[in-house]
Amino acid sequence: MEEDLFDLSVKQSLESQPLAYRMRPRTLDEYIGQEHIVGPGRLLRRAIQADQLSSVIFYGPPGTGKTTLARVIANTTKSHFSTINAVLAGVKEIRYEIDSAQDRLKHFGKRTILFVDEVHRWNKSQQDALLPWVENGTFILIGATTENPYFEVNAALVSRSRIFQLKSLTSEDLTRVAMQALKDPERGYGKLEVSFEEGALEHLVDVANGDARSLLNALELAVETGERKANKVFISKTAAEESIQRKVVLYDKEGDYHFDVISAFIKSIRGSDPDAALYWLCKMVVAGEDPKFIFRRMMISACEDIGMADPNAIVVVNADAQAFAQIGLPEGRFHLTHAALYLSTAPKSNSALCFFDIIDNIQKESTEVPNHLRDASRDQKGFGHGEGYLYPHAYRDHWVAQQYLPDTLQGRVFYKPGRIGYEAGIADAVERRREVQLEAGYGSATAENLTFSPGDRERSAWVTRAQGQASQMLEDMRKSLYDSVKIIRSDRVLVYNPGNGYLFWEAYRRTPEGYACAVVQSKQQYDYILKYCESLEDVQKFGLYMSLEEIPKDLEFEVTISSSPCSSPLEDHAILDSLTCSRSFAIAQVIPNLSSRLSDFIEDSSLKALLLEAESSIYQAPRLNWTVDDLIGFIKPRTEHRIQEYVTMRQATKADLARWLEKSYLPACPALEQRREDLVRALVGPALKWKTKVAFIWSV
């Protein structure tokens, strides 16, 4: 029977098409791969088989079967199937498809499926043109894109479509694709006996890198150029290698995979894996990524992921980037490698992320600049801006404790130094200064108590806010106390009157396998310690009490440390008994009788006489009129002691002066009320050179 000329023409036309085009699956049974979306029982497979498809977008790398899946739908559905390519089509073509779809629906009741290949190539206005017609059901949209639709496709269009992500084919999938082509007698090479040298087909599959189109193109070239005898074709490994020169590096500089690879590179650096970091670096270089972009991301990582653990990281990366700019490729690859290796092997710290915590705090809270930190060049005379600021370079080690955060944020901790690399070397210093700063800024635990109203310490205490060298005094006192005792890591340590925590956290640091316990003197101190501990990593259990009586009776301590545990040893000797029964102890006690008094700062003889009259009464009270010998006399174990004088610069306020007068001086000398203004002029404002005598007593 003579072959139909039309069928012959179609057959010849088909044979002239590339193998990848000829072997495109026509049905779901021929479709290979993507089991997660078209496998038996899957939603998409059921929708295709029932011809009940809704708008969908297929997203995945090239060669994974997006267009092929659309053609399978075209061969399966009873709806009219139209195809346009977003690269070639514009609004005119869209309008034509819309009009045609409306006519089919109106006159024949037939739905239209519109397949748009490379849908991400359309701009926003072109995509918007589709939206109403997808909305009213004029046609069902099938979009195909290699870009992430959540970024590259109109959000309104995405919200009306189901997104199906296609993955690169596995080696098993590609092997099935190859065998399907080799066995198909009509579209493939089923009429030939194709054999492979061992490893040849595996090489084609491996080098295709998950891309079926790439595999079929290479297979076609290998078969067409292979050794042929009659209908037998032998493909050697050499021929296979020549058919597909190397792996096609899947990398679009503006696409999703571009961001995936750079993400893998940075995460490998963050994870301290130099092998993986170099692998992803090389993949970017081979794909032609801009080295400036790679260096830019490494500069970010140098501060985000390495940060203060190695501050030199940013210096190294910046030097490599500058060297690359002068040298260029190919030698510049050494500098890319050097920077990547340095970062991936450097110690890591992300403490710089505290920046975002602060931003969040700023957006939630309204704060003001403390007065002493304000600019004094304009409003110092009118508003006193800048008054009371302490110049750090004028003090030892170029540091002095003073308030820098706004009032409402005192005690907040943002920067949390890591324990690796350079940062480990500064962590202790940062924490210790922070503790002293909090203490100096909110009243010292060593402040003198000048009162003769026992039991009402909070109301009648003569409290002077420590400034200037107060921070040095606190640091020295802490060091002296802890140098006086031997603390073993497993010891149980009691700290009595730790202030706002500056004295307690040192005990906590020194007893990682032991137990640290603090007895505070006020609810404020209690709250500060709890607030500060929130900033510590891996906070272990510690004790915090408001009185000695709250401590469990069966809890014994090897070491006791206390700061001014008593107002007067004549009245508080029971506290001394409790604190000096441990294996070793150290006490720092302010001696009011030997410290400065207000009369020391007055030159006016008549005013000075009134102050001396008041002080003769104040300092004769039992709570203040005692000596170091009295203190030691109430301590039963054998001790040693020394007296240390500290000189600090203090600045009194009107509120301070009013408190001193009302609670101490006026009851002792009412005549001072007439000289209140003179006292204000003499004491409020100028820095007072205050002398404090402290007795250090420790067990031997």
Side-chain angles (χ1 to χ4, degrees), residues 4 26 31 37 74 153 225 261 316 337 349 395 419 440 443 457 478-479 519 672:
D4 187 275
R26 296 161 295 189
Y31 192 86
I37 60 173
V153 179
T225 60
V261 173
V316 171
T337 302
S349 171
Y395 299 91
R419 296 290 176 177
R457 183 178 305 178
R478 178 166 61 182
K479 184 177 185 303
V519 176
L672 280 170

Coordinates of all heavy atoms in Angstrom, one line a residue, residues 4 26 31 37 74 153 225 261 316 337 349 395 419 440 443 457 478-479 519 672:
D4 N 0.9 7.4 2.5 CA 0.3 8.7 2.4 C 1.4 9.8 2.4 O 2.3 9.8 3.2 CB -0.7 9.0 3.5 CG -1.5 10.2 3.3 OD1 -0.9 11.3 3.7 OD2 -2.6 10.2 2.7
R26 N 4.5 12.5 25.8 CA 3.1 12.9 25.3 C 2.1 12.6 26.4 O 1.0 13.2 26.4 CB 2.8 12.1 24.1 CG 3.7 12.4 22.9 CD 3.7 11.4 21.8 NE 4.2 10.1 22.3 CZ 4.5 9.0 21.5 NH1 4.2 9.1 20.2 NH2 5.0 7.9 22.1
Y31 N 6.1 10.5 31.1 CA 6.9 11.6 31.9 C 7.7 11.0 33.0 O 7.3 10.1 33.7 CB 5.8 12.5 32.5 CG 6.4 13.8 33.0 CD1 6.7 14.9 32.1 CD2 6.8 14.0 34.3 CE1 7.2 16.1 32.6 CE2 7.4 15.1 34.8 CZ 7.5 16.2 33.9 OH 8.1 17.4 34.4
I37 N 5.3 15.7 42.5 CA 4.1 16.4 42.1 C 3.3 15.7 41.1 O 2.1 15.9 41.0 CB 4.5 17.8 41.5 CG1 5.4 17.6 40.3 CG2 5.2 18.7 42.5 CD1 5.7 19.0 39.5
A74 N -1.6 19.5 27.5 CA -2.2 19.9 26.2 C -2.8 18.6 25.5 O -3.8 18.6 24.9 CB -1.2 20.6 25.3
V153 N 7.3 37.1 39.7 CA 5.9 37.1 39.2 C 5.0 38.0 40.0 O 5.1 38.0 41.3 CB 5.4 35.7 39.0 CG1 4.0 35.7 38.4 CG2 6.3 34.9 38.2
T225 N 27.6 10.3 15.8 CA 29.0 10.3 15.5 C 29.8 9.1 16.0 O 31.0 9.0 15.8 CB 29.7 11.5 16.1 OG1 29.6 11.5 17.5 CG2 29.0 12.8 15.6
V261 N 23.7 29.8 45.5 CA 25.1 29.4 45.6 C 25.8 30.4 46.5 O 26.6 30.0 47.4 CB 25.7 29.5 44.2 CG1 27.2 29.3 44.3 CG2 25.1 28.3 43.3
V316 N 41.9 41.8 56.4 CA 42.5 40.8 55.4 C 41.6 40.8 54.1 O 42.1 40.8 53.0 CB 42.5 39.4 56.0 CG1 42.9 38.3 55.0 CG2 43.6 39.3 57.1
T337 N 40.7 33.1 47.0 CA 40.9 31.9 47.8 C 41.5 32.2 49.2 O 41.0 31.7 50.2 CB 41.9 30.9 47.1 OG1 41.4 30.6 45.8 CG2 42.1 29.6 47.9
S349 N 32.1 34.9 65.7 CA 31.3 35.7 66.7 C 30.2 36.5 65.9 O 30.6 37.2 64.9 CB 32.1 36.6 67.5 OG 31.3 37.4 68.3
Y395 N 41.7 60.0 83.7 CA 41.7 59.0 84.8 C 42.6 57.8 84.4 O 43.0 57.6 83.3 CB 40.2 58.5 85.0 CG 39.3 59.6 85.5 CD1 38.6 60.4 84.5 CD2 39.2 60.0 86.8 CE1 37.8 61.4 85.0 CE2 38.4 61.0 87.2 CZ 37.7 61.7 86.3 OH 36.9 62.7 86.7
R419 N 33.2 34.1 73.6 CA 34.3 33.5 74.3 C 35.4 32.8 73.4 O 36.0 31.8 73.8 CB 33.8 32.5 75.4 CG 32.9 33.1 76.4 CD 33.7 34.0 77.4 NE 32.8 34.7 78.3 CZ 33.3 35.4 79.3 NH1 34.6 35.6 79.5 NH2 32.4 36.0 80.1
A440 N 28.6 52.3 90.1 CA 29.0 53.7 90.3 C 27.9 54.7 89.9 O 27.7 55.8 90.4 CB 30.2 54.1 89.5
G443 N 24.7 54.5 92.9 CA 24.9 54.5 94.3 C 25.8 53.3 94.7 O 25.6 52.2 94.3
R457 N 17.2 52.7 107.7 CA 18.4 53.0 106.9 C 18.0 53.6 105.6 O 18.7 54.5 105.1 CB 19.1 51.7 106.7 CG 20.5 51.9 106.0 CD 21.2 50.6 105.8 NE 21.4 49.9 107.1 CZ 22.0 48.8 107.3 NH1 22.4 48.1 106.2 NH2 22.2 48.2 108.5
R478 N 37.1 45.5 94.9 CA 36.8 44.1 94.5 C 38.0 43.3 94.4 O 38.1 42.1 94.8 CB 36.0 44.2 93.2 CG 35.7 42.8 92.6 CD 34.7 42.9 91.5 NE 35.2 43.6 90.4 CZ 34.4 43.8 89.3 NH1 33.2 43.4 89.2 NH2 34.9 44.5 88.3
K479 N 39.1 43.9 93.8 CA 40.3 43.1 93.6 C 40.9 42.8 95.0 O 41.4 41.6 95.2 CB 41.3 43.9 92.8 CG 42.6 43.2 92.5 CD 43.5 44.0 91.6 CE 44.8 43.3 91.2 NZ 45.5 42.8 92.3
V519 N 23.4 38.1 99.2 CA 22.3 38.6 100.1 C 22.4 40.1 99.9 O 23.4 40.8 100.2 CB 22.6 38.3 101.6 CG1 21.6 39.0 102.5 CG2 22.6 36.8 101.8
L672 N 21.6 75.9 111.0 CA 22.0 75.8 109.7 C 21.0 76.1 108.6 O 21.3 76.4 107.5 CB 22.5 74.3 109.4 CG 23.9 74.0 110.0 CD1 24.2 72.5 109.9 CD2 25.0 74.8 109.2

